[in-house]
């Protein structure tokens, strides 16, 4: 497909019941014409306001209060801050690795579903 054909499709021929098609095309354009299905799914999720609001609510009700009680984070309005001294790059990398390992262990134990 040539550029002008794609442009014509976007402007005139595409029918929409949701924003999925232009989001997918935009993501592909921004990623050089190719992306994994996971990358595309994340792009769609990033634009799904209903899902974003759902997770904002979930975060406020469960993990933030629990982490506040443990002294790990503090919340001021909509801002959540990690209560830790400044971290070096190596410390950040180690903490990220431990978080990723704990997530992987959870998924392996309980399954993605």
């Amino acid at each position: 497909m040539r550029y002008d054909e794609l442009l014509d499709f976007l402007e005139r021929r595409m029918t929409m019941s949701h924003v999925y098609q232009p989001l997918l095309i935009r993501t592909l354009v921004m990623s050089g014409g190719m992306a994994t299905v996971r990358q595309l799914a994340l792009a769609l999720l990033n634009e799904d306001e209903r899902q974003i609001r759902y997770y904002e609510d979930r975060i406020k009700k469960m993990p933030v209060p629990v982490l506040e009680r443990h002294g790990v984070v503090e919340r001021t309005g909509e801002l959540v801050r990690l209560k830790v001294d400044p971290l070096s790059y190596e410390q950040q990398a180690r903490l990220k690795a431990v978080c990723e390992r704990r997530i992987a262990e959870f998924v392996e134990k309980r399954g993605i579903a």
Side-chain angles (χ1 to χ4, degrees):
M1 178 176 277
R2 297 184 327 262
Y3 163 78
D4 59 327
E5 293 172 322
L6 179 56
L7 189 60
D8 180 63
F9 172 77
L10 285 167
E11 292 181 335
R12 294 181 186 87
R13 294 184 290 125
M14 180 175 58
T15 59
M16 294 173 51
S17 60
H18 205 286
V19 297
Y20 298 142
Q21 293 179 84
L23 279 173
L24 197 92
I25 293 168
R26 182 185 73 185
T27 302
L28 288 167
V29 168
M30 293 173 62
S31 64
M34 188 181 308
T36 65
V37 171
R38 183 164 186 89
Q39 289 169 321
L40 296 171
L42 289 169
L44 293 178
L45 180 60
N46 197 35
E47 297 288 335
D48 190 334
E49 188 62 31
R50 187 182 64 187
Q51 285 294 91
I52 293 168
R53 289 180 189 266
Y54 169 79
Y55 281 108
E56 285 176 342
D57 186 57
R58 292 280 302 171
I59 287 166
K60 290 175 187 176
K61 288 181 179 174
M62 202 275 292
V64 168
V66 171
L67 291 173
E68 281 179 315
R69 285 194 299 275
H70 287 284
V72 176
V73 301
E74 67 181 3
R75 178 174 170 219
T76 307
E78 294 295 304
L79 183 65
V80 178
R81 184 179 74 82
L82 192 60
K83 291 176 65 175
V84 66
D85 295 332
L87 300 167
S88 69
Y89 177 77
E90 291 81 12
Q91 290 170 323
Q92 290 175 38
R94 174 73 178 137
L95 290 170
K96 181 181 173 192
V98 172
C99 289
E100 289 171 358
R101 178 177 52 81
R102 294 299 305 268
I103 292 166
E105 289 169 353
F106 179 88
V107 170
E108 183 179 325
K109 181 178 178 183
R110 300 205 178 134
I112 291 177

